[in-house]
Every structure is written in C-alpha cells, then in structure tokens.
Amino acid sequence: MPDLLAYGFMQRALIAGAILGAAIPLVGVIVVIRRLSMIGDALSHASLAGVAAGLIAGVNPVLGATVASLVAASCIEAIRRRFADRAELSIAIVMSAGVGLAGVLSGFVPNGATFSSFLFGSIVTVSDAEVLAVVIIGAAVIAGCVALRRQLLLVALDERTARLAGVRTGALSALFTLACALVVSIASRTVGSLIVSALMVVPVAAALQVARSWRGLTVISCAIGVGASIAGLVISYYVGTKPGGTIVLVAIAALAVCAVVRACLRLSSRRNGAGSKSIPSASA
C-alpha cells in the first residue's frame, strides 16, 4: 500500500474514486426508492453520445458528456411529467435516443481509442483539473443530498403526499435529475459510462439487504461505494486488471456478502423463534 501512494496518478485516482464512491450511491438511493434504477443507464448512454460529439467537434469530450447528460436529464423530466403514471417510459425513450446517437456518432470519431476509453473509464489517467472537477461536483451533490434529505425521501416515497406537505416537488425533481446528470458526466471519464449505472445501483442493493432505516441505507450505500472504489483500485494496481470493471466486481461481491448475511440473520431469528416456542410446550 505505501508504494501505491507514492505515485501521483494513484493518489488522484483514489481521491476521485472515494468522492464518486460516496456521491454516486447517495444519488442511487433516491433513484432506487423511486424505482427509476435505469436512469443511470439512460444518462450514461446519452453521455456517450456527448463524448462522441465532443471528439468530432474538437472540444473537451467531458464537456460534451456534461451537455448531453443535462439535455437527457431535462428530457427525462419533461417526458416523466407528460406520462405521470408511466415514469419508466421517459427512461426507455431517452436511453434509446442515447444509444442511437452514440452508435451513429461513434462512426465519425477520428480517434476510436479515445472514445473507447470512456466506455470503461480511465480513472488512473485523470488530471489534476479533472480531480478538482470531481471534488467540486461530488461535494456539491453530497451536500445537496444531505441538506434536502427529508424532502427527497418524501418525494421518493410518495410525490403526492410530499406536495401536500408543502414540498416543491417539481423544482426538487428537476434539481435531483440535474444532480444525476452531473454525477454521470464526471464519472464517464473516470469509472466509465457503462459502469457508472452499476455503481449507482449495486451498493444500494447491497445496503437494502442489511439496512433497517433510511439513514442506515444511505450510510451503508456510501460506505460500500467508497470501499468498492478504493478496494477496486488497489486490486487493479497489484493484479493488473481494469480499474472500472474491478470496482464493479468488488461492489457485486459486497452485494453477495450482504445477501448471505441477511440469509444467516433470518435463519438465526427463525431458530430462536422456534426455540422460544418449544420451551413452553416442553414444560407443559
């Protein structure tokens, strides 16, 4: 571990991984509760189209990904409002558009290797400026989610009830969708466009196995996200695997462990319940 920290590129990668490991699952908690788990896929595919457009136009592909993600997020929110009872349609429509645009534009990208690097990320090659962007946006998203946690929970559980409680659901939903877009766009350069959606959902799925409260769910999700990011980077450094894919596999392993823990706890509670019932019958 000490020799790993001696390299500047690994220091930057660990900082970016830790920030994104906390910010992405924090957003993912709301996404999963609202049953919009595929929104990460929709925005990530849209960001790929923005990356391709940026490379074709000769501008920063991260900027292209940001613009495309923001446009996609706005479209999701607009379509979701039009089809209020079919919210998943907005994600399917935007995802289809993103896949189509990314497929067409990728054929005109002058450097295919650069475009491919955004598919699975290149977190060990991020620059100081990119790490700074990750820190600023990630910290802003984390602070916003923490400050608006009660309102976000109300909207996630029941939007109508939240509206009756005085929550400005429209503005809050738009702001949250914007946060999703920003997180996806900055993560496309680091963990990869095809992997960010997994980091948004898998840690939350793992936390759902063991968490018993809203606070526990958010804390455990972020802890698994940060742990998976750091562990994945360390493993990829010593084993020589791709960092983005390794991070996701570590998160999947955490999900499996949490599922086993939950099964063991259930089995233990059943046995304890059976034992407590058998005591009276034995004494009788």
Side-chain angles (χ1 to χ4, degrees):
M1 189 71 174
D3 62 327
L4 180 149
L5 296 176
Y7 297 101
F9 71 92
M10 284 304 302
Q11 294 174 5
R12 292 190 294 270
L14 289 169
I15 293 172
I19 295 294
L20 292 175
I24 297 175
L26 189 59
V27 170
V29 170
I30 305 298
V31 167
V32 171
I33 292 179
R34 294 183 70 180
R35 299 187 179 183
L36 298 174
S37 301
M38 298 299 292
I39 193 172
D41 286 294
L43 294 179
S44 63
H45 284 87
S47 72
L48 277 178
V51 168
L55 292 173
I56 294 171
V59 299
N60 191 328
V62 177
L63 177 61
T66 302
V67 173
S69 296
L70 291 175
V71 172
S74 301
C75 291
I76 288 176
E77 189 62 23
I79 298 172
R80 190 184 68 84
R81 289 180 176 279
R82 186 173 183 83
F83 298 95
D85 297 329
R86 296 288 185 270
E88 70 278 2
L89 280 178
S90 61
I91 296 177
I93 292 170
V94 171
M95 183 187 297
S96 300
V99 170
L101 281 173
V104 171
L105 294 176
S106 63
F108 299 95
V109 174
N111 188 352
T114 304
F115 179 74
S116 298
S117 68
F118 281 85
L119 295 175
F120 299 101
S122 185
I123 193 169
V124 295
T125 62
V126 293
S127 63
D128 291 334
E130 289 170 335
V131 172
L132 181 60
V134 168
V135 170
I136 293 174
I137 295 177
V141 169
I142 293 172
C145 288
V146 171
L148 299 173
R149 60 187 182 279
R150 296 184 183 277
Q151 295 90 326
L152 288 171
L153 176 60
L154 280 175
V155 173
L157 294 176
D158 191 336
E159 191 166 342
R160 293 180 181 178
T161 302
R163 193 179 300 113
L164 292 174
V167 178
R168 299 177 60 183
T169 57
L172 188 64
S173 296
L175 186 63
F176 178 74
T177 307
L178 173 64
C180 289
L182 290 175
V183 166
V184 169
S185 63
I186 61 171
S188 63
R189 173 70 176 89
T190 53
V191 296
S193 296
L194 298 183
I195 293 175
V196 61
S197 58
L199 199 56
M200 186 179 290
V201 174
V202 176
V204 182
L208 284 171
Q209 305 296 313
V210 294
R212 295 187 177 183
S213 65
W214 164 255
R215 179 178 297 179
L217 178 62
T218 55
V219 171
I220 295 174
S221 297
C222 292
I224 292 175
V226 173
S229 298
I230 294 176
L233 284 169
V234 173
I235 293 172
S236 67
Y237 174 80
Y238 288 108
V239 179
T241 54
K242 295 291 185 180
T246 307
I247 290 172
V248 172
L249 290 179
V250 172
I252 293 292
L255 172 59
V257 170
C258 289
V260 171
V261 170
R262 181 178 183 180
C264 292
L265 291 175
R266 282 185 172 182
L267 181 60
S268 177
S269 63
R270 288 177 182 177
R271 287 180 176 177
N272 291 334
S276 63
K277 291 180 180 179
S278 64
I279 292 174
S281 61
S283 61

